[in-house]
Amino acid sequence: IKTSRLNILNKLKSSKAKTNNRLFLNTKTGQPLARKTISDIFSQAFNAIGAPRGAGIHSFRSKFTNDEMNIE
């Protein structure tokens, strides 16, 4: 994720400061995605793979946070 974000910012000649430390960026503007947009993207993805009811962005965010804490 870090490499992808950096590639997006470099391509757009944008800076990390403009991202407000947000994880997901718009690939056309480099600006952080709105919470609703992220939720919609993940909902569509979970539906597409037939994820069980209750699986969603919160469980993904928890897993990411736990994994990052385990790395440190």
Side-chain angles (χ1 to χ4, degrees):
I1 290 176
K2 291 176 185 177
T3 303
S4 296
R5 290 176 84 250
L6 186 57
N7 290 341
I8 291 168
L9 293 174
N10 287 336
K11 179 180 141 189
L12 298 171
K13 296 177 177 50
S14 190
S15 70
K16 187 176 178 182
K18 291 182 181 180
T19 68
N20 298 325
N21 291 318
R22 301 279 291 278
L23 181 60
F24 299 107
L25 305 178
N26 181 311
T27 58
K28 293 180 182 176
T29 66
Q31 295 296 313
L33 292 178
R35 290 182 178 141
K36 173 81 170 110
T37 302
I38 296 167
S39 183
D40 289 348
I41 290 168
F42 276 88
S43 291
Q44 290 171 8
F46 281 120
N47 286 336
I49 63 170
R53 187 159 179 81
I57 188 76
H58 180 72
S59 57
F60 179 80
R61 185 174 44 229
S62 278
K63 171 111 174 75
F64 177 80
T65 302
N66 290 337
D67 288 351
E68 285 295 305
M69 291 176 66
N70 288 334
I71 290 171
E72 293 177 10

